[in-house]
Amino acid sequence: MATFLGINLFGLFGQLLVGLINGSFYALLSLGLAIIFGLLKIINFAQGAMYMLGAFAAWMALNYFGINYWAALILVPLVVGFAGVLVERFLLRPIAGEDHLYSLLLTFGIALVLQGLFTQIYGASGQPYSIPDALKGGTKLPFMYLPDYRAWIIVASVVVCSLTWYMIEKTRLGAYLRAGTENPAMLQAFGINVPLIVTLTFGFGVGLAGFAGVMAAPVYSVSPDMGSNMLIVVFAIVVIGGMGSIGGAILTGLGMGIIEGLTKYFYPEASTTVIFAVMVIVLLLKPAGLFGKEA
């Protein structure tokens, strides 16, 4: 057994891997929330339900239609994103001028309806979804065994998050998105369809949750409550990074996953609360979050 200063390196790196995997999902979900709130000022409490919907859509696509994992990885985010487009267009847009609390309560209600519907149809127990054949197996590293699918989750999450950050912060489309939230009337005067931009942005943020759900299906049990279990943690991460901070959501999601993994090794009793403890400390020291801007 490899040890260093009394630390079991196999156990430590194993927990770090688990933390990075969780952090990858945290980053994707936090990014979607940050986009929706930062650009649209909508508190989307249905993000966890959309994550669950993505996992179930992948499971149903495989079992009912024979659509494999790789096709689902492309199709499911589009389907979930389209569901988000419908939600924004017909449910959220009529209350767009109201207090943020209205969107929070509405999306919370949507989450409860979706969770209850899938529980009624499929029950509370989870459904299995197998790892694709191309990603079965793994690589033996000096201090740990790295399953190929776990490595794929980390790489795919980092790539998608990085591309999304670049699109929003460095491209003309991203400039339109930011301008549409800061001064929609002026952007509309230049012939830009601002309501369409808002709808597509919400759909994209929700689609990220669907993408995360597909990747989570082979790792976690596909169950109706998988989104609600994740949502509170993800909201805490968004608060830590700074509400609306795109880069902050990505970095904080990955960082909190690593901190959670380290805590599971050194002090397992605190692993379920460490993220909330960090949130309290950050809010006391910097209320706007680590990467947020002071009002």
Side-chain angles (χ1 to χ4, degrees):
M1 182 181 293
T3 60
F4 178 73
L5 298 177
I7 298 173
N8 180 349
L9 295 181
F10 288 102
L12 176 62
F13 279 94
Q15 288 300 336
L16 280 175
L17 175 62
V18 172
L20 265 177
I21 293 168
N22 289 337
S24 297
F25 292 120
Y26 294 159
L28 282 168
L29 291 170
S30 299
L31 177 59
L33 279 176
I35 289 172
I36 291 170
F37 181 80
L39 299 179
L40 309 182
K41 300 299 182 286
I42 295 172
I43 302 174
N44 181 26
F45 235 83
Q47 191 78 346
M50 296 301 175
Y51 166 74
M52 176 271 293
L53 185 62
F56 260 107
W59 180 85
M60 289 187 288
L62 179 64
N63 287 277
Y64 297 160
F65 305 106
I67 298 174
N68 65 21
Y69 171 86
W70 300 107
L73 203 59
I74 298 172
L75 294 175
V76 168
L78 295 176
V79 172
V80 175
F82 181 70
V85 165
L86 296 178
V87 167
E88 194 284 330
R89 176 62 184 84
F90 296 105
L91 298 178
L92 289 171
R93 187 177 296 182
I95 60 170
E98 304 294 339
D99 189 272
H100 296 329
L101 182 62
Y102 287 88
S103 63
L104 186 154
L105 292 174
L106 177 61
T107 53
F108 181 63
I110 292 171
L112 291 179
V113 169
L114 286 174
Q115 183 175 341
L117 180 64
F118 277 87
T119 301
Q120 183 68 29
I121 297 173
Y122 296 103
S125 59
Q127 306 291 337
Y129 189 97
S130 60
I131 295 173
D133 293 337
L135 294 175
K136 290 180 178 177
T139 304
K140 187 173 183 180
L141 302 176
F143 298 115
M144 65 181 294
Y145 178 78
L146 179 62
D148 289 343
Y149 189 75
R150 268 62 173 180
W152 156 250
I153 289 174
I154 297 168
V155 171
S157 174
V158 170
V159 169
V160 170
C161 288
S162 299
L163 290 176
T164 301
W165 174 86
Y166 183 84
M167 179 191 72
I168 293 174
E169 298 292 341
K170 302 295 182 182
T171 66
R172 178 174 293 183
L173 176 60
Y176 286 154
L177 293 177
R178 297 193 302 276
T181 59
E182 294 172 5
N183 196 334
M186 184 179 72
L187 197 63
Q188 192 90 29
F190 282 101
I192 304 299
N193 191 336
V194 174
L196 179 61
I197 289 179
V198 170
T199 301
L200 293 179
T201 301
F202 188 87
F204 179 77
V206 166
L208 286 173
F211 180 79
V214 178
M215 290 206 299
V219 178
Y220 308 122
S221 179
V222 180
S223 63
D225 62 353
M226 64 186 294
S228 59
N229 294 339
M230 183 80 78
L231 182 65
I232 302 301
V233 174
V234 171
F235 259 103
I237 289 171
V238 172
V239 170
I240 293 169
M243 291 293 288
S245 173
I246 307 300
I250 299 169
L251 295 175
T252 307
L254 292 171
M256 288 298 104
I258 293 173
I259 289 174
E260 188 179 60
L262 288 172
T263 306
K264 283 182 180 178
Y265 179 81
F266 289 107
Y267 190 50
E269 294 84 355
S271 61
T272 57
T273 58
V274 63
I275 291 177
F276 301 101
V278 172
M279 181 185 72
V280 170
I281 294 170
V282 169
L283 288 177
L284 288 173
L285 298 177
K286 195 173 187 292
L290 295 177
F291 302 92
K293 297 178 181 179
E294 298 289 345

